[in-house]
Amino acid sequence: MKQIKNILSNKKVSSIILGAIIIILVAVVIVNLFFINKDLNSKKIKNEDVYVYFGDEKFDYKGNITLDHEGKITNIKFDNKKVTLYSEPIYYAKKEKVILPVPYSVVNTSVGLQNKVMYYTEIVSRDGYYYLVNNELDYKLNNNFLFDGSDMYIFIQSSKVTFGDKEIEISPLSYVNYVFDTKDLYIYNYEKKKIEYYENVDQDVFVSNKNYKVNLSSDNIIINEKQKLLMKNFDYLKKLKG
């Protein structure tokens, strides 16, 4: 009887030890996943000068900056302050480089095809061309532009903004933000480092160059006189590869 009790007791102790080991392993996995997810959602920018436009007002950030992605929103943290970004691109002051704070779609204007890139993807200048770069991507941009699925467009080629009787030239890396609900129009010219604001723009807003034309009021692209509506739900888009 004592031997049987000892065997049962040993089995019980072994089960307790095994259970404890499993709990510890699960806890380790959860902690590791937490820190991996935190690393993926955070980006640190060290000793850099960057700037962001909110509407027509410029905000400069210098030194050590942290980007923190929560849900569908990215926050910029600097000097113990936190500001929410939506899709406003983050520009480096001393480099030809831009960070996308949220996912964007990349529009191939040859066929109107859209793919998506994840938040923190960078637009960088290299050898006279622009590239989209992240941990799994190094894609050379040609006849492309970027669209946030709502109001913000970033253009890679020199283009022309037209609405009503106005015609405005913009350089590569400029953006145009037309808020359809309020009819507010913001045009940031990267080369001139200048933003122009227009209110109550009731006319259609177009951006065009030799390769394509985009109607920002209806979010469609015009290629060879054919119109195609841009997709706004990125869940249906494949990730850009290259």
Side-chain angles (χ1 to χ4, degrees):
M1 285 293 290
K2 284 184 178 180
Q3 289 179 340
I4 294 172
K5 284 183 178 180
N6 287 336
I7 291 169
L8 290 173
S9 178
N10 289 338
K11 284 185 176 179
K12 192 176 289 184
V13 171
S14 297
S15 297
I16 292 170
I17 292 171
L18 182 61
I21 291 171
I22 291 171
I23 290 170
I24 292 169
L25 289 174
V26 169
V28 169
V29 170
I30 290 171
V31 169
N32 285 336
L33 287 174
F34 171 79
F35 283 107
I36 289 170
N37 188 57
K38 188 175 181 181
D39 288 340
L40 289 173
N41 288 336
S42 295
K43 180 179 178 68
K44 294 186 182 297
I45 305 170
K46 295 183 178 180
N47 299 318
E48 294 283 0
D49 296 356
V50 302
Y51 62 91
V52 182
Y53 275 93
F54 296 103
D56 59 347
E57 189 172 357
K58 183 183 180 185
F59 290 81
D60 295 289
Y61 301 92
K62 299 181 180 182
N64 296 324
I65 302 141
T66 300
L67 300 178
D68 189 22
H69 192 81
E70 301 173 357
K72 294 185 177 181
I73 291 176
T74 297
N75 298 305
I76 184 167
K77 297 178 180 179
F78 173 75
D79 197 21
N80 295 322
K81 296 177 182 178
K82 183 169 77 171
V83 178
T84 297
L85 299 169
Y86 291 95
S87 57
E88 296 89 353
I90 304 163
Y91 288 89
Y92 281 71
K94 299 176 182 178
K95 299 177 182 178
E96 207 169 357
K97 185 175 179 180
V98 183
I99 300 176
L100 306 177
V102 296
Y104 267 76
S105 71
V106 183
V107 184
N108 181 331
T109 60
S110 298
V111 292
L113 179 68
Q114 287 174 262
N115 293 99
K116 64 183 175 183
V117 292
M118 302 311 294
Y119 55 88
Y120 302 156
T121 297
E122 297 177 342
I123 308 172
V124 299
S125 175
R126 191 193 307 151
D127 303 325
Y129 295 94
Y130 293 106
Y131 292 79
L132 284 171
V133 179
N134 59 32
N135 290 334
E136 52 190 29
L137 179 71
D138 195 330
Y139 179 83
K140 182 180 178 180
L141 291 163
N142 290 306
N143 297 326
N144 307 92
F145 64 84
L146 287 82
F147 174 51
D148 74 338
S150 181
D151 303 312
M152 180 74 74
Y153 290 78
I154 303 173
F155 295 95
I156 308 303
Q157 297 86 30
S158 296
S159 303
K160 181 170 59 179
V161 185
T162 55
F163 57 99
D165 60 354
K166 289 196 175 292
E167 185 174 293
I168 301 163
E169 300 286 341
I170 57 173
S171 69
L173 293 190
S174 299
Y175 72 72
V176 182
N177 185 12
Y178 178 60
V179 187
F180 183 80
D181 291 342
T182 60
K183 308 301 181 186
D184 290 325
L185 175 64
Y186 302 89
I187 302 171
Y188 175 61
N189 190 320
Y190 177 74
E191 185 176 53
K192 294 182 178 179
K193 302 294 186 289
K194 178 184 176 183
I195 195 160
E196 297 183 41
Y197 167 60
Y198 301 88
E199 58 183 348
N200 298 321
V201 178
D202 286 324
Q203 308 96 333
D204 280 355
V205 178
F206 294 95
V207 176
S208 60
N209 54 42
K210 62 182 181 181
N211 298 305
Y212 60 84
K213 187 175 186 179
V214 191
N215 186 332
L216 276 62
S217 303
S218 56
D219 297 318
N220 64 48
I221 183 170
I222 304 160
I223 307 171
N224 297 326
E225 299 183 358
K226 293 182 179 179
Q227 296 190 31
K228 182 176 181 180
L229 191 65
L230 294 172
M231 289 188 67
K232 300 182 179 183
N233 188 342
F234 294 175
D235 293 339
Y236 298 103
L237 299 181
K238 294 180 179 179
K239 278 188 179 182
L240 184 68
K241 295 181 180 180

